[in-house]
Amino acid sequence: LNVRWHIIKWYVLAALIVGFDQLSKYLAVHGLEYGEPVELLAVLDLTLQYNTGAAFSFLAGAGGWQRWMFAGIAIAISVVLVVWISRVARHQRLLSAALACILGGAIGNLWDRLALGYVVDFISAHWEQSYFPAFNVADAAITIGAGLMLLDMFLHPESSRD
């Protein structure tokens, strides 16, 4: 049995992200009234919203077919990420962490899309009356993962060419 624990830990990180994402969405759905903001800070509210589209509610009003298209894309990306994580060199920890964050976020939102038909969003950042689209823990993990990938590309330009 050749278990590669240095790889498994990244799948565990992705699973923890999925778990935290789903727990936070459960708490939001059961603790917030839809569309009613709860102020945390002057620039941050908790506001329960359902997104049937993609990022920034892209195609939200398309009639339902987008659920399956976005689910298919998320499944394909997740498969690619699972394989990619298994092939990353042991010393490329930053890249592995980035991929695990993106994988966990993708699966967290995929879960919603398949189970509910929409993604639960509840974090609302704003400046005065200018609001950024609501997001969730999965979205934050994907964003952090993308940032870590960019950082890895800048810190290790030689490995991004391989």
Side-chain angles (χ1 to χ4, degrees), residues 44-64:
L44 188 67
D45 299 338
L46 296 180
T47 307
L48 180 62
Q49 297 180 18
Y50 302 141
N51 182 359
T52 57
F56 307 111
S57 296
F58 175 67
L59 293 177

Side-chain angles (χ1 to χ4, degrees), residues 141-160:
I142 292 168
T143 302
I144 290 167
L148 291 175
M149 279 186 90
L150 289 172
L151 181 61
D152 181 69
M153 288 171 48
F154 285 116
L155 294 177
H156 307 106
E158 68 286 349
S159 40
S160 64

Side-chain angles (χ1 to χ4, degrees), residues 15-33 40 45-50 104-105 108-109 111-112 116 119-123 135-141:
L16 289 171
I17 290 168
V18 172
F20 183 60
D21 174 64
Q22 290 300 304
L23 175 63
S24 66
K25 289 172 179 174
Y26 175 86
L27 294 172
V29 166
H30 290 86
L32 298 171
E33 293 294 324
L40 294 180
D45 299 338
L46 296 180
T47 307
L48 180 62
Q49 297 180 18
Y50 302 141
N109 282 340
W111 186 294
D112 283 14
L116 306 171
V119 174
V120 175
D121 290 328
F122 61 92
I123 303 168
F135 59 99
N136 57 44
V137 171
D139 298 332

